[in-house]
Amino acid sequence: MALALVLAAVFVFLIAHVVSKVITGLKAVDNVPGFRCAFSATSLPGLLLPTKFGAFWCNPGSDFVIKLRRSLYPTHEIVSIVPYLCGPPAVYVSSIELMHQIAGYSPQYDKERSPFDSVFGGNIVTAQKAEWKRHRRVINPAFSHKMYELAWKESAGIFQDMVAAKGWRDRDSTPIFIMNNITTKFALAVISSCAFDLTFPWAEPPKSVGGGMTLQDCLIVTTRDAALRVLVPRWAYHLPSKYLKEVEEGFNTLFSFARSQIGIRREQVADDTSKNDICNLIVRANEEDAKTKLDDDEMMGDIFSVLLAGHETSGKVLVAIIALLALHQDEQEEVHKEILSVLSGGREPTLDDLESFPHLHRCILEGIRLFPPVSILLREAVEDVYLRVPSHIASQAERDVSIKKGTMIAADIVGINHNPRYFPDPEAFKPSRWRDVAEGDQIAGFGYGPRACIGRKFALIELTCFLVLLLRDWEVEVALGEDESLEQWRERVLEAKVVITLGVQPAPVRLVHRRV
């Protein structure tokens, strides 16, 4: 009897908690229509569980903005998520005007505290304003013109090493291969060289880090299982689970690598023998500026961020652009002609040519629009705020929305990039839409405002270098499966997914050598 009373009391308490959380959440988002679910989309349970839109169970998950990009904002450019178990209430907006407001310089918004800091340490990506300024001051000197020259030089050298190792120059066409594997390895090689002065010849297997897993394997594990690492208690890694042991080894190996790199760089700075790779420049700036000095965990967090963002985003965007150009041969041919006109006489491209490929640049922007590396920009309202939300339907008036302090506000970059108010026929690959358009006005694939990705130009350099060298000498063709149509290939490959950042599915292609 006593146990039954206790259980009944617990049940009543839980129901009261759920009702209270929902009522409070609805007030916080001003009753904006949307999802009423157990977990917020950015909570750890919400990230781990699959996306589901059932009548009795709803979990938006990490990719609902992609899955519902055509239907999420039927009237106004705002939708809410009110969880009844875990996570704060949130609103998602697909308006450039509101993105400027929440991700710009307004003091009314800040980054939320990230649970991933407990795993990776504080870093420039997740830090709140006061801490972010310290990180930015230390990291900023690393991205200079000298670094951009190094990025181009290394990108070109790694590309040529790849071609030689693959034996492509001696072939009229290559065997079918998955382009994602190439772009990921390329991007990792570039950031390894520029960030740590570590070179990996293409023909050799990736080298292990400290005798354990390879750097590439560690990055795969840490990006795939970041949420799991936060949730699973430390004692669980001693259980006889092969999967958990792999996760443990991946994280520990990568963190040991980052710590060793910091130690090596400190010695080099002290002996004045340091080189100008990103890690050295970060350590040097940190040692020289006592006012903004980062501790070792913060340094490790920043180095991990550079390593992850430096290959994860670039590799994914690059394969998406190549897949789109393979599907749109007319655009690919126009890029090829442009490259030949710039590189007249058969000369090799240099960093000075970066701005000389306007049509290629438009193709890159259109690829970023369709598959932005950053799918949402998430901020927390640090005070009560007021939003005037436009409608994308002419007959509908703007909506005034009052948002309470503590509510999450997300600029939905996927939604913005598929908003027909800005991009008519949003599903179509149309590089011409970027002709005579100021890039900063409408593109936010690498973030926006003061916290836009610090490595954006670095990424643009390696993307441009790879594409110029590839499309100058090869025509990229899609490799269809048995009885597969071009449209089926498109639907299969260009189905976006989110693993930390947004990317496409495995893209099988073939290269055909352009003989001059």
Side-chain angles (χ1 to χ4, degrees):
M1 186 67 175
L3 178 60
L5 289 174
V6 170
L7 292 175
V10 170
F11 179 75
V12 170
F13 174 80
L14 289 176
I15 293 297
H17 171 76
V18 166
V19 172
S20 173
K21 189 169 177 63
V22 170
I23 291 173
T24 303
L26 290 173
K27 288 180 180 178
V29 300
D30 204 5
N31 293 296
V32 167
F35 302 99
R36 310 300 174 243
C37 48
F39 311 114
S40 68
T42 56
S43 67
L44 290 173
L47 290 172
L48 283 172
L49 294 172
T51 296
K52 179 73 173 176
F53 304 112
F56 299 102
W57 173 257
C58 173
N59 184 60
S62 62
D63 56 357
F64 79 99
V65 295
I66 302 160
K67 292 182 180 296
L68 302 180
R69 64 186 181 276
R70 301 180 185 92
S71 61
L72 190 58
Y73 307 96
T75 305
H76 289 85
E77 294 164 358
I78 188 168
V79 68
S80 71
I81 293 181
V82 177
Y84 53 81
L85 287 182
C86 178
V91 294
Y92 287 68
V93 298
S94 63
S95 161
I96 287 178
E97 297 89 341
L98 289 173
M99 178 187 71
H100 289 174
Q101 179 180 331
I102 71 170
Y105 292 86
S106 171
Q108 297 175 305
Y109 307 92
D110 200 354
K111 280 270 192 177
E112 66 169 334
R113 287 289 179 186
S114 172
F116 295 105
D117 285 355
S118 64
V119 176
F120 302 124
N123 60 80
I124 192 170
V125 176
T126 63
Q128 293 189 311
K129 282 181 182 176
E131 292 85 2
W132 172 78
K133 289 177 181 178
R134 293 192 300 115
H135 287 276
R136 177 85 181 194
R137 186 165 175 174
V138 168
I139 292 179
N140 200 50
F143 291 90
S144 63
H145 185 72
K146 283 186 177 180
M147 179 52 60
Y148 298 143
E149 288 179 330
L150 179 63
W152 186 282
K153 174 178 173 290
E154 292 303 309
S155 296
I158 290 165
F159 183 92
Q160 299 299 352
D161 181 34
M162 173 190 73
V163 170
K166 291 285 186 182
W168 286 350
R169 291 210 183 277
D170 301 326
R171 298 173 178 266
D172 290 329
S173 64
T174 69
I176 295 171
F177 63 92
I178 302 300
M179 181 56 78
N180 311 56
N181 299 336
I182 295 292
T183 59
T184 298
K185 186 174 180 178
F186 169 80
L188 179 60
V190 172
I191 197 63
S192 296
S193 179
C194 293
F196 305 107
D197 193 31
L198 297 176
T199 57
F200 304 104
W202 196 275
E204 295 181 10
K207 290 184 173 60
S208 63
V209 184
M213 298 172 69
T214 68
L215 186 61
Q216 187 168 350
D217 289 338
C218 291
L219 286 167
I220 290 171
V221 168
T222 52
T223 53
R224 182 191 67 198
D225 297 314
L228 183 71
R229 185 70 171 180
V230 177
L231 277 179
V232 175
R234 300 298 305 141
W235 58 262
Y237 292 99
H238 298 291
L239 297 174
S241 167
K242 183 178 179 181
Y243 191 89
L244 288 179
K245 290 187 183 303
E246 181 185 60
V247 173
E248 176 83 344
E249 183 180 358
F251 276 89
N252 289 345
T253 302
L254 190 60
F255 293 160
S256 295
F257 167 75
R259 289 190 188 93
S260 69
Q261 292 298 311
I262 292 172
I264 291 169
R265 280 6 186 236
R266 281 204 176 111
E267 292 178 4
Q268 292 174 339
V269 167
D271 296 337
D272 199 26
T273 59
S274 60
K275 299 180 181 179
N276 287 325
D277 60 61
I278 293 173
C279 188
N280 267 327
L281 292 170
I282 290 174
V283 172
R284 184 188 302 163
N286 194 53
E287 293 296 305
E288 292 174 354
D289 193 342
K291 186 184 296 185
T292 59
K293 192 164 181 145
L294 306 175
D295 62 33
D296 281 1
D297 285 343
E298 291 172 319
M299 289 271 288
M300 192 169 69
D302 281 335
I303 288 171
F304 177 82
S305 298
V306 167
L307 188 57
L308 176 61
H311 94 283
E312 170 81 4
T313 57
S314 299
K316 287 183 176 178
V317 168
L318 186 53
V319 71
I321 295 167
I322 292 170
L324 288 163
L325 288 172
L327 285 164
H328 298 270
Q329 290 289 321
D330 55 337
E331 301 289 356
Q332 185 180 160
E333 189 60 29
E334 187 171 346
V335 170
H336 173 65
K337 291 178 180 177
E338 178 180 73
I339 292 170
L340 291 185
S341 69
V342 173
L343 304 179
S344 56
R347 71 176 181 85
E348 292 297 311
T350 68
L351 181 60
D352 292 336
D353 296 313
L354 183 64
E355 305 296 333
S356 301
F357 306 102
H359 189 66
L360 174 59
H361 191 58
R362 289 192 287 270
C363 290
I364 291 173
L365 290 179
E366 185 69 344
I368 293 172
R369 181 186 73 82
L370 289 167
F371 298 97
V374 178
S375 56
I376 62 169
L377 299 179
L378 189 63
R379 299 292 186 268
E380 179 183 353
V382 296
E383 59 184 75
D384 292 351
V385 295
Y386 174 82
L387 303 176
R388 172 152 288 188
V389 183
S391 170
H392 58 76
I393 297 177
S395 61
Q396 297 284 342
E398 291 183 326
R399 176 171 183 174
D400 296 334
V401 177
S402 175
I403 301 297
K404 299 299 183 185
K405 177 181 178 180
T407 303
M408 294 297 116
I409 306 179
D412 174 6
I413 304 304
V414 174
I416 289 172
N417 291 353
H418 287 81
N419 188 333
R421 191 157 67 90
Y422 312 117
F423 302 103
D425 195 9
E427 296 290 330
F429 178 69
K430 292 183 177 180
S432 60
R433 72 171 88 238
W434 295 100
R435 194 183 301 275
D436 302 323
V437 174
E439 175 190 333
D441 289 347
Q442 287 191 309
I443 194 73
F446 285 96
Y448 171 81
R451 299 193 64 151
C453 176
I454 196 171
R456 183 190 170 283
K457 186 172 181 179
F458 184 100
L460 181 61
I461 287 169
E462 61 179 318
L463 293 178
T464 302
C465 185
F466 186 100
L467 290 167
V468 167
L469 293 173
L470 178 73
L471 300 176
R472 178 190 63 182
D473 297 334
W474 284 276
E475 177 184 347
V476 185
E477 296 181 345
V478 302
L480 301 176
E482 186 176 355
D483 298 325
E484 185 178 44
S485 68
L486 202 62
E487 186 57 33
Q488 288 170 329
W489 189 96
R490 179 198 303 271
E491 291 176 0
R492 173 168 63 91
V493 171
L494 299 186
E495 177 65 30
K497 62 178 180 179
V498 174
V499 180
I500 299 295
T501 57
L502 187 149
V504 300
Q505 304 291 333
V509 298
R510 177 191 296 107
L511 304 182
V512 178
H513 209 153
R514 297 180 184 269
R515 302 294 183 183
V516 180

